[in-house]
Amino acid sequence: MAIIVQKFGGSSVADAECVKNVARLAIAEHEKGKQVVVVVSAMGKTTDNLLNLARQITDVPDPREIDMLISTGEQISIAMLAIAIQSMGVPARSFTGPQVGIITDNAHRKAKIVRINDEKIRRELNKGEIVIVAGFQGTTLDNEVTTLGRGGSDTTAIALAAVLEAEVCDIYTDVDGVYTADPRIVPNARKLKRITYDEMLELASLGAKVLHSRSVEIGKNYNVPIHVRSSFDNIPGTMVVKEIKEMEDIVVSGVAYNRNEAKISLLGVPDKPGVAASLFGTLGERNIVVDMIIQNVGADELNDITFTVSKDDLDEALIVAEAAAKELGAKNVVHDRSIAKVSVVGVGMKSHSGVAATMFRALAKNKINIGMISTSEIKISCVIKETDVDRAVQAIHKEFELAEIQHE
Ligand code: ASP
Ligand code: MG
């Protein structure tokens, strides 16, 4: 029997009515004869509320205890959904991540799934039940509860779809697909029918909030068909797939932005081997992801090293940077919270030139200053002032004529 995995985000299960709606969507697939696994996030803003609760006590709570705290959010929604499905006369059962054998490493608050023991889920499915699994959480081999990082329920769902060899992983959310840009900023943004894993991966890590980037990585590695769609409108969304032939002609698929960026500079760092290794080594040990890095070669054998991290990691990264600055004999550490990143993404960039120039022109016309630039095979990112984000996204979307291009 074909297995399908459905994932519902916090807004899709925000209250009891929403939960009933989700129950009906799960039952509809069950009635088509599918074996259904449903992964849910915490109801509405539950996770934020729980984090705020801890913050009322301290700014530096123990990550292990935070995982104990925030993993409760998903436990509420799985039970609510099981109650709803059962009340509609269909057998269902809810499980926490640890109960169904989602094994992670022990990096609290950003754990990675290392293995899933799927026997229990398969056993339950074979009884004819709808299986409901709490997103975002797992357990270490030592039975410690972990969470997978904000938005991690997507990762739970796509990893389950991979091990269960599901025919599709439906990601139900409050938007009806992936757009050429955030429609709240660019009203004439277009919905894409399809997008490649690589592009989606870039978009996700660039801050398009549609999918958790680790989830796309897993989808890509295991070739899981992912359907991003709305839980409120029954219309086709966007399929995330391996490759799209006709898209070779399309240079840019979308524009993304991320306001959650901050910048740290170490000024006057002595120019000698090992400096970067020591600084970025320590950041890595602390699980702080560094995005862009720039080194300016200054006079007198002194360099400036600037890098970006997410705003959430800024405080911790600053502690590391200050310590490194002292050890390396750097002159000063400065930081800036008010930056953001805009990016263009497209597999077509591999075979087209002038893409960077078009992007820079769009920013220049609008007098938006570029602080840092980074590129990959299929994306170009610029660091700009946070207050320039909306104008930048609109200008770039227009310059590449993304509202007009039509493709299958
Ligand atoms: N509830 C978690 C969060 O808000 C996980 C998720 O929504 O995917 O980050
Ligand atoms: Mg969420």
Side-chain angles (χ1 to χ4, degrees):
M1 227 196 250
I3 297 179
I4 107 161
V5 175
Q6 301 180 312
K7 180 259 168 177
F8 295 92
S11 51
S12 304
V13 290
D15 57 28
E17 266 325 299
C18 292
V19 171
K20 286 199 253 173
N21 175 46
V22 167
R24 286 187 282 268
L25 290 168
I27 290 172
E29 291 298 333
H30 188 255
E31 282 173 351
K32 286 185 203 156
K34 308 264 156 111
Q35 292 195 321
V36 184
V37 175
V38 191
V39 173
V40 278
S41 297
M43 295 172 75
K45 297 254 165 278
T46 306
T47 311
D48 288 329
N49 296 342
L50 291 168
L51 285 167
N52 285 335
L53 209 52
R55 212 166 289 133
Q56 288 170 33
I57 299 178
T58 168
D59 282 336
V60 281
D62 177 3
R64 178 199 184 267
E65 302 308 330
I66 286 294
D67 278 351
M68 288 304 260
L69 179 69
I70 60 181
S71 59
T72 61
E74 272 70 13
Q75 196 168 336
I76 297 172
S77 46
I78 55 171
M80 287 292 287
L81 181 58
I83 291 167
I85 295 177
Q86 289 167 1
S87 77
M88 296 174 187
V90 176
R93 221 191 239 259
S94 67
F95 300 97
T96 64
Q99 275 182 299
V100 290
I102 297 181
I103 312 294
T104 71
D105 61 18
N106 44 30
H108 283 290
R109 301 194 66 174
K110 34 186 129 176
K112 292 202 170 74
I113 298 177
V114 292
R115 179 154 51 81
I116 297 180
N117 303 324
D118 59 345
E119 305 96 69
K120 189 177 175 78
I121 296 187
R122 289 192 189 271
R123 234 183 302 131
E124 299 294 333
L125 285 173
N126 288 336
K127 291 183 197 160
E129 286 164 1
I130 293 180
V131 173
I132 304 160
V133 179
F136 177 55
Q137 52 177 255
T139 173
T140 65
L141 284 173
D142 199 22
N143 295 320
E144 292 289 334
V145 175
T146 51
T147 63
L148 309 179
R150 296 306 307 272
S153 300
D154 294 335
T155 299
T156 306
I158 294 173
L160 281 173
V163 292
L164 296 168
E165 295 174 324
E167 62 178 20
V168 66
C169 185
D170 277 328
I171 303 283
Y172 284 92
T173 174
D174 52 3
V175 293
D176 61 4
V178 181
Y179 281 73
T180 50
D182 185 340
R184 285 168 302 185
I185 296 182
V186 183
N188 63 353
R190 259 180 324 106
K191 182 163 77 181
L192 299 163
K193 282 191 185 143
R194 275 172 284 164
I195 187 165
T196 64
Y197 292 117
D198 287 326
E199 290 168 316
M200 195 64 232
L201 205 52
E202 291 285 5
L203 288 176
S205 48
L206 291 170
K209 299 236 164 43
V210 191
L211 283 174
H212 196 227
S213 62
R214 294 235 348 110
S215 76
V216 188
E217 250 169 69
I218 299 173
K220 181 185 172 189
N221 291 341
Y222 294 89
N223 224 334
V224 180
I226 302 169
H227 186 186
V228 178
R229 56 192 301 185
S230 162
S231 55
F232 304 107
D233 287 307
N234 188 16
I235 50 171
T238 303
M239 287 300 304
V240 189
V241 295
K242 206 153 138 195
E243 58 181 353
I244 303 163
K245 289 264 178 310
E246 41 311 8
M247 272 183 66
E248 268 164 26
D249 295 339
I250 292 167
V251 187
V252 165
S253 293
V255 187
Y257 66 93
N258 189 355
R259 291 192 165 93
N260 191 22
E261 302 257 336
K263 181 168 88 173
I264 298 180
S265 301
L266 275 76
L267 307 178
V269 189
D271 189 11
K272 58 178 191 224
V275 164
S278 125
L279 170 63
F280 295 106
T282 322
L283 290 165
E285 278 160 25
R286 298 239 196 161
N287 283 308
I288 296 171
V289 177
V290 172
D291 182 17
M292 293 192 199
I293 301 173
I294 287 185
Q295 174 168 302
N296 303 327
V297 182
D300 307 327
E301 315 217 305
L302 293 178
N303 297 332
D304 297 338
I305 301 178
T306 300
F307 59 96
T308 61
V309 294
S310 88
K311 282 195 173 88
D312 312 322
D313 285 336
L314 178 63
D315 292 339
E316 208 182 335
L318 271 174
I319 295 173
V320 175
E322 305 272 8
K326 203 177 250 172
E327 203 187 301
L328 301 168
K331 287 200 173 127
N332 198 6
V333 176
V334 295
H335 70 276
D336 186 353
R337 260 178 215 281
S338 58
I339 62 157
K341 185 171 69 172
V342 282
S343 313
V344 292
V345 173
V347 285
M349 269 182 220
K350 288 184 192 175
S351 49
H352 289 77
S353 55
V355 181
T358 307
M359 178 174 186
F360 302 155
R361 188 168 62 238
L363 296 174
K365 275 187 194 165
N366 288 277
K367 308 232 167 359
I368 296 168
N369 193 45
I370 302 172
M372 295 165 92
I373 299 168
S374 79
T375 63
S376 80
E377 239 191 342
I378 64 163
K379 75 130 204 253
I380 302 163
S381 297
C382 296
V383 166
I384 57 172
K385 279 202 320 227
E386 196 177 350
T387 44
D388 286 337
V389 167
D390 289 14
R391 282 194 310 124
V393 173
Q394 288 154 358
I396 296 166
H397 195 268
K398 189 158 171 227
E399 198 73 30
F400 283 100
E401 302 179 345
L402 293 180
E404 282 103 65
I405 301 164
Q406 291 296 333
H407 61 79
E408 274 307 291

